[in-house]
Amino acid sequence: MKLLIRILITSGLVMLIAHFMPSVSVANFKTALIVAVVLGLLNVFIKPILVVLTFPVTILTLGLFLFVINAIIILLCSNIVGGFRVDSFWTALIFSVILSVCQSIVYKIVGEEK
């Protein structure tokens, strides 16, 4: 049940953020649900590999390179899911930061702790 709530929250936030960012577009709520699922899968399977491969750079940048990895995950999701478009790397970076902050706030309100 918690997973379903997380997917619904993430898809709602993706729709909301895409509404306010002109360089991000989501076709409909069904697409946002697919984006939430694909983002979850990419974060589970691809992100740990990227983190391990870029560990020296992450150490040198004091962890700030993780933002770049998050942006890469968003761009991968944009390439995988039809109907979800992110124009540039910088847009993906801003989108990922806003999404992470909003998820933290909403999960705190709802009571879903990581």
Side-chain angles (χ1 to χ4, degrees):
M1 190 67 177
K2 284 186 178 184
L3 179 64
L4 182 62
I5 292 171
R6 284 180 168 270
I7 290 172
L8 289 173
I9 288 172
T10 301
S11 58
L13 289 173
V14 166
M15 288 289 292
L16 183 68
I17 296 167
H19 178 74
F20 289 108
M21 290 184 73
S23 51
V24 176
S25 67
V26 179
N28 52 32
F29 190 72
K30 180 182 173 186
T31 304
L33 281 171
I34 295 169
V35 167
V37 170
V38 170
L39 278 177
L41 291 172
L42 288 173
N43 280 327
V44 167
F45 294 111
I46 303 298
K47 188 174 180 178
I49 296 168
L50 291 175
V51 169
V52 168
L53 291 175
T54 61
F55 188 69
V57 177
T58 304
I59 294 296
L60 287 175
T61 61
L62 302 176
L64 292 176
F65 196 74
L66 292 173
F67 288 122
V68 174
I69 293 173
N70 286 339
I72 291 170
I73 295 293
I74 296 292
L75 288 173
L76 279 172
C77 185
S78 175
N79 287 333
I80 293 171
V81 178
F84 176 60
R85 180 186 53 83
V86 179
D87 285 344
S88 67
F89 171 79
W90 295 108
T91 302
L93 184 71
I94 294 167
F95 181 84
S96 69
V97 169
I98 293 171
L99 182 63
S100 296
V101 169
C102 289
Q103 281 177 328
S104 297
I105 292 169
V106 171
Y107 292 156
K108 192 72 165 175
I109 292 170
V110 173
E112 293 257 338
E113 298 288 332
K114 278 191 173 185

